[in-house]
Amino acid sequence: MKLLDLVKYFRDGGSFEEFCQKQSLDLESEAIEIYMEQPLKIDNDLAFFEIEKTEGYIEYDYNNIKYSNLFDFYYFLDAIEESRNDQNQSLSNEELTKLLFNYAINDA
Protein backbone atom coordinates (compact mmCIF):
# COMPACT_ATOMS: atom_id res chain seq x y z
CA MET A 1 0.00 0.00 0.00
CA LYS A 2 1.21 3.47 -0.87
CA LEU A 3 0.56 6.67 1.07
CA LEU A 4 -1.88 7.84 -1.61
CA ASP A 5 -3.84 4.58 -1.23
CA LEU A 6 -4.00 5.09 2.53
CA VAL A 7 -5.24 8.67 2.12
CA LYS A 8 -7.91 7.55 -0.36
CA TYR A 9 -9.04 4.71 1.91
CA PHE A 10 -9.65 6.97 4.89
CA ARG A 11 -10.98 9.98 2.96
CA ASP A 12 -13.53 7.63 1.39
CA GLY A 13 -14.79 6.69 4.85
CA GLY A 14 -12.70 3.62 5.70
CA SER A 15 -12.67 2.77 9.39
CA PHE A 16 -9.57 2.46 11.55
CA GLU A 17 -10.87 -0.70 13.22
CA GLU A 18 -11.54 -2.40 9.88
CA PHE A 19 -8.15 -1.31 8.57
CA CYS A 20 -6.38 -2.75 11.62
CA GLN A 21 -8.23 -6.03 11.25
CA LYS A 22 -7.25 -6.30 7.57
CA GLN A 23 -3.63 -5.54 8.44
CA SER A 24 -3.61 -7.86 11.48
CA LEU A 25 -2.77 -4.95 13.78
CA ASP A 26 -3.55 -4.99 17.50
CA LEU A 27 -6.15 -2.33 18.30
CA GLU A 28 -5.08 -2.54 21.95
CA SER A 29 -1.59 -1.30 21.07
CA GLU A 30 -0.43 1.91 22.71
CA ALA A 31 0.22 3.28 19.20
CA ILE A 32 0.33 2.05 15.66
CA GLU A 33 2.97 3.66 13.51
CA ILE A 34 3.17 4.22 9.78
CA TYR A 35 6.53 3.37 8.21
CA MET A 36 7.77 3.75 4.65
CA GLU A 37 10.28 1.63 2.80
CA GLN A 38 13.68 3.31 2.43
CA PRO A 39 14.92 5.34 0.67
CA LEU A 40 11.96 7.62 1.29
CA LYS A 41 10.04 8.37 -1.91
CA ILE A 42 6.39 9.34 -2.05
CA ASP A 43 5.41 6.19 -3.98
CA ASN A 44 7.23 3.70 -1.77
CA ASP A 45 5.35 0.97 0.05
CA LEU A 46 4.09 1.52 3.58
CA ALA A 47 4.17 -0.85 6.51
CA PHE A 48 2.28 -0.62 9.78
CA PHE A 49 3.67 -1.72 13.12
CA GLU A 50 2.61 -1.57 16.73
CA ILE A 51 4.97 0.54 18.80
CA GLU A 52 5.58 -2.46 21.03
CA LYS A 53 7.30 -4.15 18.05
CA THR A 54 9.35 -1.18 16.85
CA GLU A 55 10.07 0.17 20.34
CA GLY A 56 9.62 3.61 18.80
CA TYR A 57 12.70 3.41 16.61
CA ILE A 58 12.77 5.83 13.68
CA GLU A 59 14.29 3.12 11.48
CA TYR A 60 13.06 -0.45 11.61
CA ASP A 61 14.14 -3.58 9.74
CA TYR A 62 11.45 -6.11 8.90
CA ASN A 63 11.86 -9.09 6.55
CA ASN A 64 15.21 -7.66 5.37
CA ILE A 65 13.57 -4.38 4.33
CA LYS A 66 14.55 -1.09 5.96
CA TYR A 67 11.71 1.22 6.91
CA SER A 68 11.57 4.78 8.25
CA ASN A 69 8.87 6.04 10.57
CA LEU A 70 6.65 8.68 8.96
CA PHE A 71 4.21 9.33 11.82
CA ASP A 72 1.84 7.53 14.13
CA PHE A 73 -1.62 6.59 12.97
CA TYR A 74 -3.35 9.05 15.30
CA TYR A 75 -1.52 11.95 13.65
CA PHE A 76 -2.53 10.59 10.25
CA LEU A 77 -6.18 10.22 11.27
CA ASP A 78 -6.19 13.78 12.65
CA ALA A 79 -4.84 15.02 9.30
CA ILE A 80 -7.59 13.15 7.47
CA GLU A 81 -10.18 14.71 9.77
CA GLU A 82 -8.68 18.18 9.20
CA SER A 83 -8.86 17.62 5.44
CA ARG A 84 -12.64 17.44 5.76
CA ASN A 85 -13.08 20.95 7.17
CA ASP A 86 -14.23 23.79 4.91
CA GLN A 87 -10.78 25.30 4.52
CA ASN A 88 -9.11 22.06 3.38
CA GLN A 89 -11.96 20.24 1.65
CA SER A 90 -10.76 21.35 -1.79
CA LEU A 91 -7.44 19.51 -1.36
CA SER A 92 -7.18 16.54 -3.68
CA ASN A 93 -5.99 13.19 -2.35
CA GLU A 94 -2.74 13.74 -4.23
CA GLU A 95 -2.21 17.19 -2.68
CA LEU A 96 -2.92 15.87 0.81
CA THR A 97 -0.53 12.96 0.22
CA LYS A 98 2.23 15.39 -0.79
CA LEU A 99 1.60 17.56 2.27
CA LEU A 100 1.74 14.56 4.61
CA PHE A 101 4.88 13.20 2.96
CA ASN A 102 6.63 16.58 3.10
CA TYR A 103 5.67 16.95 6.76
CA ALA A 104 7.07 13.51 7.53
CA ILE A 105 10.42 14.03 5.84
CA ASN A 106 10.95 17.71 6.76
CA ASP A 107 9.15 18.58 9.97
CA ALA A 108 8.69 15.43 12.02
Side-chain angles (χ1 to χ4, degrees):
M1 174 176 277
K2 315 283 186 203
L3 187 55
L4 179 59
D5 300 325
L6 190 66
V7 167
K8 285 179 185 176
Y9 175 83
F10 281 97
R11 283 188 103 188
D12 289 345
S15 87
F16 180 65
E17 291 78 14
E18 184 179 302
F19 181 84
C20 288
Q21 285 178 339
K22 286 180 182 177
Q23 298 289 325
S24 300
L25 296 166
D26 182 4
L27 278 167
E28 300 300 315
S29 173
E30 183 180 327
I32 295 173
E33 300 178 307
I34 301 171
Y35 281 76
M36 181 177 276
E37 193 174 312
Q38 294 181 5
L40 295 178
K41 294 181 184 168
I42 198 163
D43 289 329
N44 281 7
D45 287 327
L46 299 179
F48 311 96
F49 303 105
E50 296 91 348
I51 196 167
E52 292 84 0
K53 289 183 182 169
T54 66
E55 298 180 359
Y57 287 115
I58 293 173
E59 294 186 348
Y60 185 66
D61 288 349
Y62 181 74
N63 287 343
N64 294 321
I65 299 172
K66 289 185 184 252
Y67 292 94
S68 288
N69 186 314
L70 294 182
F71 28 70
D72 73 49
F73 229 110
Y74 296 117
Y75 171 83
F76 174 79
L77 293 173
D78 285 346
I80 293 297
E81 194 59 38
E82 284 288 316
S83 78
R84 293 185 177 121
N85 72 26
D86 291 341
Q87 181 180 349
N88 299 320
Q89 215 169 19
S90 63
L91 281 175
S92 69
N93 289 337
E94 291 79 7
E95 290 169 324
L96 180 56
T97 299
K98 286 178 186 173
L99 287 171
L100 285 166
F101 181 73
N102 286 332
Y103 168 80
I105 63 171
N106 295 315
D107 298 330

